[in-house]
Amino acid sequence: MGLFSRLLNRPGAQADKATGWFEKATTDLDAAAAEFADLSDAELTDAASEVFASGPARETLVRYAALAREAAERTLGERAYDTQLVGLIGLLQGHIVQMATGEGKTLVGALAAAGYALQGRRVHVVSVNDYLAVRDRTWMQPVFDLLGVSSAAISAALDDDDRREAYRSEVLYASVTEVGFDVLRDRFVLDDEDIRVAERDVVIVDEADSVLIDEARVPLVLAGSSSIEDGDERIAALVETLIPGTDYEISPDRRAVSLTDAGVTRVEDELGVELFGDGAADLAAVNLALYAKALVKRDIDYLVVDGRIKLISSSRGRVAELQRWPDGLQAAVEAKEKLETTESGEILDQMTVEELIHGYETVCGMTGTALAVGDDLREFYSLEIVPVDTHLPVVREDEPDRLYTYQESKERAIVEEVVENHANDRPVLIGTSSVAESESLAQRLVERGIDVAVLNAKDDSAEAEIIGAAGRPGAVTVSTQMAGRGTDIRLADDSVAEGGGLLVIGAGRYLSSRLDDQLRGRAGRQGDPGTSVFFTSLEDELLTRVPEIQRFVSEGDETGRIDSKRALTLVEHAQRIAEGQNTALHRDTWRFNELMAKQRELVLARRRELRTENEAIDELKDRLGERATELAEEHSEEVVDESLRAVLLFHLDARWVDHLAFLNDLREGIHLRTFAKEKPHEAFNTESIRVFSSFWSDVLDDSVSTVEEAEFTDEGIDLASHGLKRPSSTWTYLTTENAFGSDIENIVKRIRR
């Protein structure tokens, strides 16, 4: 593909085709607006029900945009800007809309949801957490009511009956994880009345890049039949004494850790085992404990709260509720912290966020930073981007990065910058990448006599209040990642604007330029003045990915600042490397999950048929032969058929649980196939297909055994009395993606060399 073709095909380049026509339809828009302005509320509701009934597609979209603007102005006192209407059209055409912070995405999303609902569609508006889902629906409910569209919101606190009722609404607001968990819970229903998510039709994704890219690989898990993963305290204690550089080595990108020859010898001597012989289980435990020691850091990757491990979301800087690590890593970290090991349970079913989203007929969304992941959105979801201009020009000043030698010199420089601006009553927002860094900076500022509001994973209960006050004169706010905070920072008064507006300081570049841009975007909203600047040090985690940059440590001045343009270029390079690694990991994860997702859908399709049709029951009767004839003579057809259906459903569900366990075990060690010069993905697929090929036959065989051995009464078969019990309780949680994955493959490759 030539340069010109690549330019034409870059994300967002074809946006004019999607919405350019609408921007030229001002005459029609104004005419429709005048028509709807003369209607009473009741008449406007009636007009909404008919707006999509007839007429060319573009004409109906223009009329709906005018009607939606009128409804929002009447109910909320907010007249949608022309730019917001462009975003509305982009969503209604099934695109990802990029709108800057403060440009009114919440209203745009609500109007688009109502637009789809008025066309007879069912809409889920999904966000990153329950708080935003409930808040946004409550805020937008008057608009939905005037347009005659039913709406609801769900959160983790909602009981099953209210949850099912909420899903019957035309527009539902929810966090992506809550919808995913409900889809998993529906996996095992036996009665249609118990189904929560009847269909996945349209999804509008708020913070689309965060959900569709950053959270895409996160597996949502339904568990039952409580079990405990033991963390070996003896091994944890041994690993704690290992010396970096002598007993183990960390890869340059800090994503893998492995024992050295000396470390292997020491561990084998102290444990009295041969790690690469009969001690393979000990080797796995040592690797987990080593990973927990060297690469999983307290107050950066997790917190310890009330004797429990709480993971911190790397993309949002807050506690990731219900999330845990897989592969025994959770137990290893608990052993490291000398905590009681928590329940993991038997996995009954699981799916990734990406698989959940792929289950919708129509996917669209909005975010402030889509273009940076445009290629990923196109590759993984076949989605295109519509960039929307800001309502007013952005006058924010983005200063060049300031690079320092060490973390200490960087933090000192940040404090001096804050002190200087605070003296002029200028509000300052500092964005950090970890809880530890946020607390360190806050402590330094307090020691300089500055009151600081801290918003991090340890306490985000007053989030809206803290963010809302961050634009007041002299306010100093320190926060971990700002993505998904959902609250605008408004300048308190004209004096703040005259003083330069909000100063945003980034305490280091994030692993993604999108997160940088989301932090920057907190300043300069809606035409306000503002400034952003990033302070970076050679010790930042991002820069460890580019060893070359470490040679500039000698070029720091007396404050530790490095002015080399080449060094600043390498900072950008390090970020591109991190973004490329994330895309590669996403692609790698999906290659494993894609086949599992297809097998899961085949099983669910078989299950739906089994619940509503009798073909499988007839097949089981054929297998039973004379036993089926005896049952037909002794019992009514209804009792026999429903009993056989219950047996088949039980064994189908049980076989799927077994198959999932097999796949998870297979994947955990599949990268070792590299030793045999096999491609891990191909080996995984081959083994998975081989085992799955007998899935239904195994279900029938197990069902035959049950029916032949079980006592059959006039009420059928009491499955529980024959040991065929479903879990008495289930719960849901999230895991991180495989902790080792491609890293093991890379280690194996190094060993082979």
Side-chain angles (χ1 to χ4, degrees), residues 99-310:
M99 298 177 66
T101 299
E103 290 294 307
K105 290 190 290 292
T106 303
L107 176 60
V108 172
L111 297 181
Y116 276 115
L118 290 169
Q119 297 176 67
R121 310 288 297 274
R122 294 279 174 175
V123 187
H124 293 168
V125 183
V126 299
S127 59
V128 295
N129 58 50
D130 287 355
Y131 164 74
L132 291 178
V134 174
R135 186 205 68 175
D136 289 354
R137 185 266 172 171
T138 302
W139 182 8
M140 294 294 127
Q141 184 178 355
V143 180
F144 291 124
D145 290 347
L146 182 56
L147 292 174
V149 173
S150 61
S151 65
I154 62 170
S155 66
L158 209 63
D159 64 36
D160 276 349
D161 289 339
D162 290 339
R163 188 176 292 261
R164 292 187 188 92
E165 184 63 30
Y167 275 109
R168 295 189 185 102
S169 299
E170 293 167 291
V171 174
L172 176 83
Y173 280 77
S175 69
V176 66
T177 52
E178 278 303 304
V179 175
F181 288 149
D182 283 335
V183 169
L184 288 175
R185 293 183 185 109
D186 284 348
R187 165 72 175 76
F188 292 97
V189 298
L190 300 175
D191 191 322
D192 284 348
E193 294 182 359
D194 294 330
I195 291 176
R196 300 165 181 82
V197 189
E199 60 179 332
R200 280 179 277 168
D201 186 7
V202 177
V203 63
I204 300 175
V205 186
D206 193 11
E207 301 294 346
D209 56 333
S210 178
V211 173
L212 300 180
I213 303 301
D214 299 333
E215 308 293 336
R217 304 187 306 269
V218 173
L220 296 85
V221 176
L222 177 70
S225 302
S226 174
S227 65
I228 300 291
E229 286 184 60
D230 291 325
D232 195 317
E233 295 180 6
R234 177 179 58 115
I235 288 178
L238 168 58
V239 166
E240 197 60 36
T241 67
L242 298 182
I243 302 170
T246 301
D247 298 319
Y248 64 89
E249 295 177 341
I250 300 173
S251 65
D253 61 7
R254 299 194 64 79
R255 294 175 60 211
V257 60
S258 57
L259 291 171
T260 61
D261 290 343
V264 170
T265 300
R266 178 178 172 186
V267 170
E268 287 182 336
D269 288 345
E270 297 207 23
L271 294 181
V273 299
E274 187 177 341
L275 293 178
F276 295 95
D278 294 336
D282 291 307
L283 174 61
V286 169
N287 282 334
L288 286 165
L290 192 56
Y291 195 97
K293 167 186 167 63
L295 300 182
V296 183
K297 301 298 184 183
R298 184 168 176 166
D299 288 345
I300 295 177
D301 299 303
Y302 67 94
L303 304 174
V304 177
V305 181
D306 298 329
R308 296 275 181 163
I309 297 291
K310 297 284 188 179

